């Protein structure tokens, strides 16, 4: 059965519009920036193909330029989604220059067919290659499967785009985008297939992101972003066992924001939340890599300092207290302080609950003695 190029393009544009309409229903509200970029990318591709189809019968230059612009912008949106999923990606400035230059050079050289076809297709092939490169070497952990599938789709599209550019720029075998040349027909079929497989890859990436967010929510406190009590207990037990096995010093601290109920009663719950968030942020900033922090309930926080003895724990307390005094007046409009209890494990001790209980008793002593101080467990 002979393939009709215009029909293939119409099917592709229809599929893209249908997918663009379905994605918000599948993903729901409150999606991440990466998911919004993906939705925008597919919608822009749909507009691009609809515009190039319509350009054959009216407003040729305007609609075909719009098609190039939308297609280039769609790849930029996809690149932005990959940045969200995989971390910083290479060549962002070059990609942005190509995205702007592709429609600009196309419309400026519209009167010369070979120029505009060669320019648009060569630059689009380069854009696709840069986006394909962005699927590699993730900064954050990510599945190779969906990245490999998306990489294959992008490289396939880049190869056929380059082939069409060669035909239009250097031969007379491609006088129109509707020309039923074997390369053009194969490109239309490949683009339809890549559309389906690429969408599957992006949905897998979105699902992996959603699952990671659920795992993070299960492990962290929603207000402060620190570990919640359960995760602190699990990870703290592992850290303590590791320290005992390798004979490394560890210091445990229990911290309690002073007069927190009074802050809520006199300044409102919003001020209380901001106070906890500030305290949690400074707590994280004062810790080093390998230390553990968690919100254990209300205004109470736990800290495990790895490779630190009791004197280092006291120095940690002084740094945190100094930072908190300075930052709270500036950011909250009132001074914030805390009470703290410190404990160190006996040699070979691996019972986190017992260690934190000793730190908690020292915290109680600090509060009894007048708050705003650190007490060490005997």
């Amino acid at each position: 059965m002979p393939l009709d190029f215009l029909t293939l393009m119409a099917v592709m544009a229809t599929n893209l519009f249908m997918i663009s309409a379905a994605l918000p229903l599948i993903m729901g509200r409150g999606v991440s920036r990466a998911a919004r970029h993906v939705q925008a990318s597919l919608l822009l591709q749909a507009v691009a193909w609809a515009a190039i189809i319509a350009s054959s019968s009216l407003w040729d230059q305007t609609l075909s330029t719009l098609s190039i612009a939308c297609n280039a912008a769609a790849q930029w949106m996809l690149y932005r989604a990959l940045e969200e999923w995989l971390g910083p990606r290479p060549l962002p400035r070059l990609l942005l220059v190509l995205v702007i230059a592709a429609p600009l050079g196309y419309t400026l050289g519209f009167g010369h067919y070979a120029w505009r076809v060669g320019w648009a297709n060569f630059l689009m092939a380069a854009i696709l290659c840069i986006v394909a490169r962005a699927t590699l070497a993730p900064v954050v952990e990510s599945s190779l499967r969906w990245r490999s599938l998306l990489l294959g789709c992008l490289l396939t599209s880049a190869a056929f785009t380059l082939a069409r550019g060669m035909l239009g720029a250097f031969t007379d075998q491609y006088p129109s985008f509707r020309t039923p040349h074997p390369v053009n027909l194969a490109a239309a079929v490949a683009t339809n297939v890549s559309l389906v497989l690429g969408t599957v890859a992006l949905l897998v990436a979105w699902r992996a992101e959603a699952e990671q967010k659920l795992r993070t929510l299960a492990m962290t406190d929603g207000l402060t972003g620190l570990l919640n009590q359960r995760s602190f207990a699990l990870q703290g037990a592992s850290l303590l066992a590791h320290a005992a096995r390798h004979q490394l010093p560890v210091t445990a601290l229990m911290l309690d924001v002073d007069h927190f109920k009074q802050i809520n009663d006199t300044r409102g719950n919003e001020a209380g939340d901001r106070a906890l968030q500030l305290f949690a942020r400074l707590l994280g900033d004062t810790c080093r890599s390998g230390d553990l922090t968690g919100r254990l309930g209300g205004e109470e926080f736990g800290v495990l300092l790895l490779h630190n003895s009791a004197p280092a724990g006291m120095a940690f307390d002084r740094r945190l207290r100094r930072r908190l005094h300075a930052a709270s007046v500036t950011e909250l409009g009132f001074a914030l302080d805390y009470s703290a209890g410190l404990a160190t494990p006996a040699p070979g001790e691996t019972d986190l609950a017992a260690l934190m209980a000793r730190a908690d008793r020292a915290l109680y002593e600090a509060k009894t003695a007048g708050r705003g101080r650190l007490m060490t467990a005997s």
Side-chain angles (χ1 to χ4, degrees):
M1 181 182 69
L3 293 174
D4 179 73
F5 181 72
L6 189 59
T7 300
L8 289 171
M9 292 181 67
V11 169
M12 184 162 45
T14 302
N15 286 338
L16 281 164
F17 276 117
M18 292 176 66
I19 292 172
S20 298
L23 277 185
L25 298 177
I26 296 172
M27 294 178 171
R29 295 181 178 180
V31 295
S32 66
R33 285 187 295 181
R36 290 197 297 271
H37 290 326
V38 167
Q39 293 174 5
S41 176
L42 290 170
L43 180 59
L44 284 166
Q45 289 184 62
V47 173
W49 288 108
I52 198 67
I53 293 171
S55 69
S56 61
S57 55
L58 73 163
W59 305 329
D60 186 11
Q61 181 174 355
T62 300
L63 289 177
S64 57
T65 301
L66 175 65
S67 175
I68 301 298
C70 287
N71 208 355
Q75 301 310 316
W76 173 251
M77 288 290 103
L78 179 54
Y79 180 90
R80 294 293 303 278
L82 293 172
E83 280 187 321
E84 295 290 334
W85 284 328
L86 308 178
R89 301 289 83 201
L91 306 175
R93 293 182 180 178
L94 175 59
L95 178 60
L96 189 57
V97 168
L98 294 177
V99 166
I100 296 171
L104 184 61
Y106 178 87
T107 195
L108 290 177
F110 189 81
H112 194 290
Y113 180 80
W115 162 266
R116 75 176 192 247
V117 173
W119 176 269
N121 283 280
F122 291 157
L123 264 62
M124 278 305 307
I127 288 170
L128 288 164
C129 286
I130 292 175
V131 180
R133 169 66 181 82
T135 64
L136 304 175
V139 175
V140 298
E141 184 179 354
S142 182
S143 171
L144 179 63
R145 294 180 180 180
W146 72 261
R147 291 189 292 111
S148 298
L149 182 57
L150 185 59
L151 174 66
C153 293
L154 290 166
L155 290 179
T156 299
S157 296
F160 278 110
T161 301
L162 182 61
R164 284 194 295 198
M166 297 288 289
L167 283 176
F170 303 113
T171 74
D172 57 358
Q173 300 179 41
Y174 187 56
S176 166
F177 74 91
R178 298 175 62 179
T179 301
H181 189 280
V183 170
N184 208 25
L185 292 172
V189 173
T191 304
N192 272 283
V193 174
S194 296
L195 165 65
V196 175
L197 297 180
T199 302
V200 169
L202 294 172
L203 285 172
V204 171
W206 166 74
R207 179 182 174 184
E209 178 193 28
E211 289 176 347
Q212 179 58 41
K213 284 186 175 181
L214 287 175
R215 286 193 293 269
T216 300
L217 286 173
M219 294 174 59
T220 58
D221 171 62
L223 178 65
T224 64
L226 299 181
L227 294 175
N228 59 26
Q229 184 176 20
R230 180 174 179 273
S231 296
F232 183 83
L234 291 173
Q235 296 188 35
S238 298
L239 183 148
L240 196 57
H242 171 80
R245 186 165 56 252
H246 296 281
Q247 298 182 341
L248 302 174
V250 174
T251 297
L253 294 108
M254 290 288 290
L255 315 173
D256 189 280
V257 177
D258 288 338
H259 306 295
F260 182 70
K261 184 177 185 301
Q262 183 179 343
I263 294 172
N264 277 336
D265 290 343
T266 59
R267 300 178 182 272
N269 291 335
E270 183 180 351
D273 288 347
R274 289 192 294 113
L276 292 178
Q277 289 169 337
L278 172 64
F279 186 77
R281 191 188 82 220
L282 295 177
L283 189 61
D285 292 344
T286 309
C287 287
R288 303 180 308 176
S289 176
D291 296 338
L292 210 61
T293 60
R295 184 185 179 195
L296 306 186
E299 66 273 25
E300 196 169 69
F301 297 81
V303 180
L304 286 175
L305 303 175
L306 185 60
H307 302 291
N308 279 299
S309 58
M314 295 175 187
F316 171 88
D317 172 74
R318 289 193 294 272
R319 292 195 304 274
L320 175 61
R321 204 174 294 276
R322 185 170 59 250
R323 291 179 177 181
L324 182 63
H325 287 171
S328 59
V329 174
T330 302
E331 299 186 28
L332 302 177
F334 57 90
L336 195 65
D337 205 348
Y338 66 93
S339 303
L342 181 150
T344 56
E349 181 180 2
T350 59
D351 188 344
L352 178 67
L355 175 63
M356 299 308 294
R358 292 203 302 275
D360 192 49
R361 287 195 292 273
L363 168 63
Y364 179 77
E365 293 176 7
K367 294 170 71 173
T368 303
R371 294 186 170 88
R373 66 196 68 202
L374 169 71
M375 298 292 282
T376 301
S378 56

